[in-house]
Amino acid sequence: MNIHEYQAKQLLAKYGVAVPLEIPAKSLAEVRPAAEKIVAGGSAKIVIKSQIHAGGRGKGTFKTGFQGGVKVASSVDEAVSLAEKMLGNVLVTKQTGGDGRRVQTLLISEAAKVKKEFYLAVLLDRAAGRPVIMASTEGGMDIEEVAGKHPEKIFKEWIDPAVGIMPYQARKIADALGLRGDPFNAAAKLIAGVFKTWWECDAALVELNPLAVAELRDGKETVVALDAKISLDDNALYRHKDLQEMRDFNEEAPLEIEASKYGLNYIKLDGDIACLVNGAGLAMATMDIIQHFGGMPANFLDVGGGASKEQVTAAFKIILSDPKVKGILVNIFGGIMDCNVIATGIVAAVKETHLGIPLVVRLEGNNVIAGRKTLAESGVAIIPGDSMADAAQKVVKAVGSP
Ligand code: GDP
Ligand code: MN
């Protein structure tokens, strides 16, 4: 699950990370008082930032033609007039795809006097089996581009999960960024806070791009998180009630939201053969074998290890709401699951949805004899598949793919 920049910064601030003074605004009426507060806080300029779950906002373009999803205003009036051009409109960036995202929240922020921009992220290094902190002097830029062209400009520090981040490691990173004096000390504290946020929230990614050295009013320098992105690990969300509440359904595909209500893992694709499978690995293999025999999968759908009748029915409805779907392949290996339960679910779902397209079912495993009997005696038109290859060939043939 992804959260917005303003939510990410609220979390980071809780763990001692320095962030600018900023206020989210969900309507135009909220923009003026927010901007007034920023000015009263001592900032002459006001930054207005579109809140969408995608990066590249600064260089993005609204569908209205208005340039830039991140703008700086010199007065409250200007902030309001910029906000009018952003709020409610669709912003297209390098990361949104052509459809773009509708901006429904703005972040009204103090304008930091930026001296230098850095990149800082915490993520899991799967190969090393431990968290890694990545830092680079090339801040504000596309980090994939830096990784491709100048991998030597990315500094990495691995963290022992049993110990957590040691103070010397945070200092090592601050040093690698070339920081000295006040910003060095501030960065060491900030880096420890960023790691703590990642750890305590069960995040998959915490990314500050840019992390900035900024000049304070007294002329001293410090570091501050100017932009923040946090992706949370869905599998750990159950133990974070407060984080679950940060979910923004406006940012998610409607069918995928519906699927997640039933504990189904669904991703829509472009083909015409829908698949319903238990287990992510088997679902991937099913998509592969459909392609192998010349078909195109319409989706990825993992019903999990112990699908119920309700889940199977919901899965059918979700599959069928994609108008491109011309056939369905159900591929179930009953390890934990009872094949007869799934067979009963399939029959009920076919009847309830008045299924009118070819359905191929391959069942294997626990209580499969009873399951096959249920399907055969159900009176509904189901094409049985003997093996994965057989089932895939049958469904490709049935939808008339080459
Ligand atoms: P992104 O384009 O979606 O990554 O959005 P960012 O939050 O990174 O904003 C884009 C750029 O705007 C940053 O790289 C900064 O250079 C600039 N920016 C954002 N906030 C401030 C600020 O408070 N002061 C100044 N001077 N620049 C800012
Ligand atoms: Mn950014």
Side-chain angles (χ1 to χ4, degrees):
M1 184 181 104
N2 291 325
I3 59 175
H4 286 293
E5 176 194 3
Y6 77 93
Q7 296 166 320
K9 284 174 166 169
Q10 285 167 1
L11 282 176
L12 286 158
K14 254 178 41 188
Y15 293 100
V17 175
V19 299
L21 171 65
E22 47 193 20
I23 305 159
K26 291 193 187 287
S27 68
L28 273 179
E30 288 172 21
V31 172
R32 182 173 294 276
E36 280 165 353
K37 264 187 209 155
I38 298 302
V39 172
S43 176
K45 294 196 171 177
I46 307 150
V47 187
I48 301 126
K49 309 184 77 176
S50 304
Q51 299 295 288
I52 54 169
H53 286 186
R57 297 162 300 166
K59 294 196 179 87
T61 307
F62 284 89
K63 284 207 164 163
T64 55
F66 185 72
Q67 289 283 329
V70 176
K71 293 291 223 184
V72 183
S74 305
S75 68
V76 171
D77 284 340
E78 192 189 353
V80 173
S81 90
L82 286 170
E84 273 172 7
K85 297 194 174 78
M86 299 160 88
L87 201 60
N89 289 321
V90 175
L91 177 62
V92 179
T93 81
K94 239 166 76 179
Q95 290 184 12
T96 60
D99 286 347
R101 294 282 174 82
R102 191 172 297 280
V103 176
Q104 291 173 323
T105 307
L106 292 174
L107 185 58
I108 312 299
S109 167
E110 79 176 291
K113 247 188 170 173
V114 177
K115 292 277 159 184
K116 197 160 177 0
E117 296 188 344
F118 301 98
Y119 176 91
L120 181 77
V122 187
L123 62 159
L124 186 66
D125 181 341
R126 287 173 197 278
R130 51 182 58 194
V132 63
I133 300 180
M134 297 203 314
S136 174
T137 50
E138 306 305 296
M141 279 178 53
D142 203 344
I143 196 65
E144 283 82 8
E145 204 179 309
V146 180
K149 288 187 187 151
H150 298 286
E152 76 286 354
K153 288 193 174 168
I154 298 180
F155 178 83
K156 293 182 182 176
E157 181 72 15
W158 286 267
I159 308 297
D160 184 336
V163 180
I165 186 168
M166 299 291 285
Y168 83 88
Q169 293 181 295
R171 291 197 297 268
K172 211 164 127 188
I173 297 163
D175 180 59
L177 291 175
L179 297 169
R180 302 290 178 266
D182 290 339
F184 174 90
N185 292 324
K189 177 174 174 277
L190 179 142
I191 291 162
V194 171
F195 182 79
K196 196 150 190 250
T197 308
W198 184 87
W199 184 266
E200 296 286 327
C201 297
D202 288 314
L205 171 74
V206 175
E207 183 185 69
L208 309 187
N209 191 20
L211 162 69
V213 171
E215 194 182 299
L216 300 169
R217 248 163 288 150
D218 58 10
K220 281 192 180 155
E221 288 185 350
T222 189
V223 290
V224 59
L226 272 199
D227 185 15
K229 171 181 176 170
I230 296 186
S231 294
L232 299 162
D233 180 348
D234 291 341
N235 292 316
L237 264 181
Y238 73 94
R239 53 184 191 185
H240 300 283
K241 266 259 156 347
D242 50 333
L243 301 183
Q244 285 170 28
E245 281 163 18
M246 292 185 171
R247 186 164 173 191
D248 183 350
F249 290 98
N250 292 321
E251 295 286 332
E252 297 177 28
L255 281 182
E256 289 169 21
I257 297 169
E258 185 63 16
S260 74
K261 279 191 211 156
Y262 293 93
L264 303 166
N265 203 345
Y266 171 88
I267 296 163
K268 195 181 150 348
L269 301 168
D270 286 333
D272 54 9
I273 299 176
C275 32
L276 188 161
V277 189
N278 68 325
L282 191 59
M284 296 292 279
T286 305
M287 288 166 29
D288 283 351
I289 204 162
I290 289 171
Q291 299 230 33
H292 178 76
F293 288 112
M296 280 289 281
N299 66 278
F300 169 94
L301 201 166
D302 168 19
V303 296
S308 66
K309 186 175 147 240
E310 287 70 30
Q311 276 178 307
V312 175
T313 309
F316 265 80
K317 286 183 181 162
I318 287 163
I319 283 173
L320 292 171
S321 53
D322 174 0
K324 272 196 185 165
V325 169
K326 288 198 270 177
I328 302 176
L329 171 56
V330 174
N331 186 13
I332 300 289
F333 183 81
I336 308 165
M337 199 175 311
D338 181 328
C339 285
N340 197 31
V341 171
I342 202 99
T344 311
I346 293 168
V347 172
V350 169
K351 288 183 176 161
E352 199 180 321
T353 56
H354 305 288
L355 189 72
I357 55 174
L359 168 64
V360 179
V361 179
R362 179 249 177 178
L363 278 182
E364 206 55 76
N366 179 17
N367 206 16
V368 67
I369 307 285
R372 289 194 184 141
K373 193 158 170 268
T374 300
L375 292 181
E377 292 171 358
S378 66
V380 301
I382 291 170
I383 306 165
D386 300 326
S387 64
M388 255 174 88
D390 179 56
Q393 280 170 292
K394 280 177 173 158
V395 75
V396 170
K397 192 162 166 247
V399 303
S401 300

